[in-house]
């Protein structure tokens, strides 16, 4: 929940993505770049109605998702991350053969959300470092279902990072 650079990233890598955005200006930007495999919704309230509420709208879709990204901001000064994290757990397809995951952006700023997701029995993996658009570091955490077993796209994983030394030692 929350559209941003990650929506553009995932649209190139997933068969289908659903983006729920709360900022009208950013929504217009996303609309102009909307991918054919992307459903894009604008929801600007936190009123509890699953058909209108930003945090709860995903429940009204009646779908389960293999990957849910929680990256929403504030609506009228109220932070949305915890409400989105709670909905993410409800819509996560934990019975998928390959498992499922929730990605919590800025997890270091939302420690309560991270704790909540761990308490749901999900496995937390933290990534710390610079993001693509800021000059400071932050943490993005991935929470995996216990049956997680996504298959790699190709056999040569992990990939070399930019400017890495290339060795094939085993």
């Amino acid at each position: 929940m929350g559209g941003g650079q990650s929506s553009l990233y995932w649209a190139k890598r997933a068969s289908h993505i659903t983006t729920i955005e709360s900022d009208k200006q950013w929504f217009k930007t996303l609309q102009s770049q909307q991918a054919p495999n992307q459903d894009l919704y604008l929801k600007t309230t936190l009123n509890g109605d699953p058909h209108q509420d930003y945090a709860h709208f995903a429940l009204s879709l009646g779908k389960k998702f293999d990957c849910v990204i929680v990256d929403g901001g504030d609506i009228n000064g109220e932070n949305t991350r915890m409400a989105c994290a709670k909905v993410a757990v409800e819509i996560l397809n934990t019975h998928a053969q390959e498992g499922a995951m929730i990605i919590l952006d800025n997890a270091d700023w939302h420690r309560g959300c991270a704790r909540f997701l761990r308490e749901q029995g999900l496995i937390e993996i933290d990534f710390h470092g610079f993001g693509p658009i800021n000059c400071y570091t932050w943490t993005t955490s991935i929470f995996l279902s216990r049956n997680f077993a996504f298959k790699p796209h190709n056999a040569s994983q992990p990939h070399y990072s930019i400017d890495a030394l290339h060795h094939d030692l085993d």
Side-chain angles (χ1 to χ4, degrees):
M1 286 154 261
Q5 297 300 321
S6 62
S7 292
L8 304 174
Y9 172 88
W10 284 102
K12 294 176 185 174
R13 290 161 176 82
S15 61
H16 188 266
I17 70 165
T18 300
T19 303
I20 305 166
E21 178 54 50
S22 63
D23 182 277
K24 290 177 185 176
Q25 283 302 113
W26 185 242
F27 179 80
K28 288 179 183 176
T29 300
L30 290 174
Q31 269 187 315
S32 70
Q33 301 174 22
Q34 186 172 355
N37 62 336
Q38 180 182 21
D39 292 331
L40 181 59
Y41 301 95
L42 176 65
K43 301 296 171 186
T44 60
T45 63
L46 289 173
N47 62 10
D49 178 346
H51 298 285
Q52 298 175 0
D53 184 290
Y54 168 74
H56 294 91
F57 177 72
L59 293 170
S60 74
L61 298 173
K63 296 180 183 179
K64 294 287 187 176
F65 296 86
D66 296 335
C67 179
V68 179
I69 302 169
V70 178
D71 191 14
D74 294 354
I75 294 179
N76 299 324
E78 186 174 344
N79 190 278
T80 65
R81 294 280 172 112
M82 183 60 82
C84 290
K86 289 178 179 180
V87 168
V89 169
E90 289 187 55
I91 63 174
L92 192 66
N93 188 11
T94 56
H95 299 297
Q97 184 176 349
E98 293 183 355
M101 67 179 165
I102 295 173
I103 301 173
L104 176 62
D105 204 20
N106 310 109
D108 49 340
W109 302 349
H110 299 279
R111 293 178 182 191
C113 290
R115 180 176 51 252
F116 168 77
L117 293 170
R118 284 191 307 273
E119 289 170 353
Q120 304 312 301
L122 300 170
I123 301 166
E124 180 177 4
I125 303 170
D126 299 326
F127 296 89
H128 312 279
F130 291 100
I133 60 172
N134 297 318
C135 62
Y136 53 87
T137 63
W138 71 81
T139 302
T140 296
S141 297
I142 297 176
F143 295 85
L144 306 175
S145 62
R146 295 283 167 170
N147 64 332
F148 188 84
F150 278 12
K151 292 179 178 72
H153 286 287
N154 62 50
S156 64
Q157 278 193 269
H159 301 287
Y160 290 108
S161 63
I162 297 171
D163 294 330
L165 297 176
H166 291 237
H167 295 285
D168 204 0
L169 301 176
D170 51 351

